Amino acid sequence: MFPVGAYARASEDKALRANAAGWREIGDQVAEQFKDMDELAAELNLTITRRYSDNHTPAGDPRVIRNDFEMLLADLENGTIRGVLFYHSDRLVRQEYDAARINRLFQLNPRYVGRAVVGGTDLATQEGRSMLTVQAAMGGMEVYSTKRRVTRRNKGLAERGHMHGAPRPFGWAEDRRTLHDTEAEVLRQAVLAIPDGLTVGEIRKQWINLGYEPTRNKRKPGTQSLQHSTVEARLVNPRICGYRTYLPQAERRNIKRPWMPEFVIRKDGRPVMGDWEAIVSPEEWQACVATIEERQRARAEGRAPHSTSAKYLLSGIARCGKCSFPLMSNQYSKGTTSYERYGYRYACLTTLGGCGGVTRVGPPMEDLVETAFLQEVRRSLGMVVEQRSVDETQHDARLSEIDQEIKQVSDRRREKRIGMGTALDLLEELEGERDELNRQRRRLVATKVRRRNASPSLLKEWMGYSVPQKKAQLRELIRAVMVHPAGRGRKFDPELIEIAWNEDDHPS
Ligand SMILES: [Zn+2]
């Protein structure tokens, strides 16, 4: 163990918290300096045994005695510590006199370590000590230290959720806090679509079709469009659910593409929230990140093909009948009979957060859903042709009845034939029924419009559709396919597959 001290100082710290004890008494600036010194100590394999803090104390005023600085000198003198770390030389000294006192101790003890986090000061060398004197004489070389304080403040701001000078993040307006008119929704849809089965590659294609270009300065020479990694980085960015992140300088240099979910700032174990508008909820963001991570793992282990979801009709549409989690496609083990016959199944995967309680063989399930879907399309097209389409006026008679009844209740109340309480009960009941019928009416209108737009060519072209095209069509009518648990090894049972249609006027 090589014991050293850590010295921090701020001449003015507005963030000083007055009444707390111990560490909490130290203001933010000082705490941040210590944090950096901890990192430096770890890098240099030193142990910080004592912390010296002169918060709110100027170093350039000869009349001011810095208590902790005096203590530091004494401890260096008697060998309690064998060196000192500080953020920058101007935190330690700003007068030639103080520089000379420090330098004397390091001249006497050539093995002492005296290092700054920034500015490169090394008091074990003659140049380092000369520089300390020169910098002290020049008042800490104001030009450099101002620049450095800006950097320091930028780091502080990042922790508070601001970031200076960085390009506007995709999804937010220029103020970086309010949502961008169109990008926010595009990003939201994409984040929700990932656990639903869409791949990053498919989202990249969508975005390119929408005309999104790489952020400025990010475009590599020779590339014409969005990078896959750029799209992925946007989808997993903790910022989208409001979490603050901080990527330390050292990480920025060492990791080519940091996985930002690992750099969420936490306080007492909980993520720190930023002061910008979030695009999705933390749960939605987590589902997206978990799905992408699972796919990366699968790829790394050579398990699943690159674009699992695009290949399988019902991934993301089928859900677990036990826990409602989306089912994902999953290969049977090679060499088994099931693998030979069907190849894959759909499963509620615990690795993604499901209950693991449901698996179902893939192809028979897809056949069943496809057949039911096409039947429904034929039925709805038939209705359009016969002009017997959805009747949105079916509740209109009852709606005018309700209006009448409301009027009657009011009349009877005015004539004092019923009490106030009874009248209110009756009115609330009638109004509730009216609101519900109006809601149904709106849904019927929506269905009617969609059916009118449904193309009869769908039936003819269906067989030629790609899986993503089919999926898009299925989603028009099918909200989800609930797959209910079956006993192990049981034969495929159509009764256990429940299709939840988008509207309530489906064939039952
Ligand atoms: Zn489940």
Side-chain angles (χ1 to χ4, degrees):
M1 184 181 92
F2 198 93
V4 295
Y7 179 85
R9 183 184 67 80
S11 27
E12 196 195 359
D13 193 341
K14 293 194 176 83
L16 179 76
R17 276 167 271 173
N19 297 320
W23 259 94
R24 292 215 174 78
E25 212 170 85
I26 300 167
D28 280 359
Q29 286 189 34
V30 161
E32 279 168 15
Q33 291 176 25
F34 276 136
K35 227 192 288 174
D36 285 319
M37 287 183 249
D38 286 336
E39 281 171 29
L40 181 63
E43 261 176 58
L44 300 175
N45 206 17
L46 305 169
T47 310
I48 295 175
T49 51
R50 292 208 167 180
R51 289 172 196 270
Y52 307 86
S53 164
D54 283 318
N55 198 27
H56 222 321
T57 313
D61 187 342
R63 288 161 302 183
V64 173
I65 303 285
R66 290 183 281 151
N67 292 332
D68 275 30
F69 180 72
E70 294 301 327
M71 227 147 71
L72 167 76
L73 290 174
D75 288 346
L76 283 169
E77 180 95 51
N78 64 31
T80 308
I81 50 170
R82 289 192 276 153
V84 62
L85 302 181
F86 42 94
Y87 188 71
H88 183 268
S89 64
D90 71 357
R91 299 297 91 199
L92 190 64
V93 294
R94 292 191 82 143
Q95 295 173 82
E96 284 174 275
Y97 166 65
D98 285 339
R101 291 163 82 200
I102 286 279
N103 284 343
R104 174 183 156 267
L105 291 165
F106 279 85
Q107 264 173 318
L108 290 173
N109 301 284
R111 303 184 65 143
Y112 274 12
V113 174
R115 293 281 291 269
V117 174
V118 295
T121 312
D122 182 356
L123 298 176
T125 66
Q126 185 55 50
E127 299 99 11
R129 294 192 290 270
S130 304
M131 276 308 289
L132 188 73
T133 309
V134 170
Q135 288 177 338
M138 293 178 70
M141 296 174 94
E142 218 45 79
V143 181
Y144 290 108
S145 52
T146 305
K147 201 169 161 191
R148 174 177 52 75
R149 274 193 225 113
V150 170
T151 319
R152 174 80 257 176
R153 196 171 63 236
N154 278 352
K155 182 182 170 182
L157 284 170
E159 282 160 17
R160 283 176 205 105
H162 305 275
M163 197 58 213
H164 275 229
R168 171 179 78 78
F170 184 80
W172 282 270
E174 285 297 339
D175 67 3
R176 296 179 173 76
R177 296 179 62 181
T178 53
L179 300 183
H180 186 276
D181 293 345
T182 49
E183 290 175 7
E185 184 56 21
V186 165
L187 188 51
R188 194 181 78 86
Q189 294 289 351
V191 170
L192 299 182
I194 288 283
D196 241 16
L198 228 56
T199 63
V200 175
E202 286 163 338
I203 285 162
R204 177 176 163 264
K205 273 183 225 152
Q206 281 183 6
W207 286 5
I208 290 170
N209 288 340
L210 287 170
Y212 287 110
E213 293 287 309
T215 335
R216 74 198 138 87
N217 305 334
K218 285 276 174 72
R219 188 191 288 241
K220 287 183 194 156
T223 57
Q224 292 304 307
S225 58
L226 274 176
Q227 297 278 303
H228 183 95
S229 53
T230 306
V231 175
E232 189 172 81
R234 286 175 182 172
L235 294 171
V236 302
N237 189 354
R239 187 182 214 280
I240 59 180
C241 72
Y243 288 171
R244 288 175 187 172
T245 56
Y246 175 66
L247 187 63
Q249 263 314 319
E251 301 278 2
R252 232 172 283 180
R253 275 196 306 272
N254 295 337
I255 310 174
K256 206 175 159 202
R257 210 165 276 288
W259 188 249
M260 286 314 285
E262 284 168 14
F263 297 97
V264 171
I265 303 176
R266 283 165 201 279
K267 203 174 174 185
D268 307 323
R270 300 183 63 83
V272 177
M273 301 301 285
D275 57 0
W276 54 83
E277 280 182 62
I279 291 179
V280 295
S281 72
E283 292 72 30
E284 288 163 341
W285 171 77
Q286 276 156 16
C288 173
V289 173
T291 311
I292 291 176
E293 283 174 339
E294 162 63 21
R295 290 177 193 162
Q296 285 169 345
R297 254 197 314 276
R299 236 177 357 260
E301 292 166 14
R303 275 192 278 129
H306 181 89
S307 55
T308 310
S309 62
K311 277 181 75 172
Y312 300 103
L313 190 66
L314 297 178
S315 55
I317 295 175
R319 285 176 180 273
C320 173
K322 249 173 114 175
C323 72
S324 300
F325 200 79
L327 300 184
M328 291 290 158
S329 60
N330 183 255
Q331 295 279 334
Y332 280 114
S333 318
K334 288 213 166 85
T336 60
T337 327
S338 295
Y339 178 79
E340 297 294 318
R341 271 183 76 186
Y342 302 114
Y344 61 96
R345 59 189 163 182
Y346 289 94
C348 180
L349 298 175
T350 48
T351 44
L352 293 181
C355 73
V358 161
T359 55
R360 199 57 38 89
V361 56
M365 197 167 110
E366 288 173 2
D367 285 349
L368 180 114
V369 173
E370 238 179 291
T371 307
F373 167 79
L374 291 172
Q375 260 170 25
E376 171 66 4
V377 171
R378 278 188 204 99
R379 194 182 76 92
S380 61
L381 288 175
M383 288 168 88
V384 171
V385 171
E386 292 161 36
Q387 293 304 311
R388 264 203 306 114
S389 76
V390 182
D391 180 14
E392 79 275 17
T393 63
Q394 58 181 275
H395 299 304
D396 286 9
R398 177 62 192 146
L399 278 166
S400 50
E401 250 175 55
I402 291 174
D403 285 343
Q404 281 299 315
E405 284 170 30
I406 288 177
K407 197 174 164 296
Q408 282 165 15
V409 171
S410 308
D411 290 347
R412 272 150 69 194
R413 169 64 202 143
R414 234 192 335 275
E415 294 155 18
K416 300 221 160 36
R417 278 155 51 199
I418 50 172
M420 178 63 92
T422 316
L424 287 175
D425 285 351
L426 288 167
L427 287 174
E428 269 173 26
E429 197 179 310
L430 287 166
E431 281 163 4
E433 190 187 350
R434 185 187 58 193
D435 293 348
E436 174 54 31
L437 290 177
N438 276 324
R439 248 193 309 278
Q440 284 183 24
R441 194 180 200 285
R442 281 194 297 276
R443 276 205 296 266
L444 289 168
V445 171
T447 310
K448 191 174 179 178
V449 170
R450 190 159 52 234
R451 298 257 167 105
R452 197 179 289 145
N453 296 341
S455 160
S457 63
L458 173 81
L459 292 172
K460 270 180 259 152
E461 291 168 5
W462 182 258
M463 292 312 287
Y465 277 1
S466 68
V467 170
Q469 282 172 315
K470 282 186 179 179
K471 269 180 121 150
Q473 293 293 337
L474 285 186
R475 281 182 192 285
E476 276 291 303
L477 293 184
I478 294 175
R479 216 168 137 205
V481 174
M482 304 305 289
V483 182
H484 297 290
R488 261 191 92 78
R490 263 181 66 182
K491 244 185 93 202
F492 178 77
D493 181 357
E495 294 286 303
L496 296 175
I497 312 290
E498 182 192 350
I499 298 175
W501 300 90
N502 262 332
E503 303 299 335
D504 32 11
D505 58 341
H506 62 86
S508 44

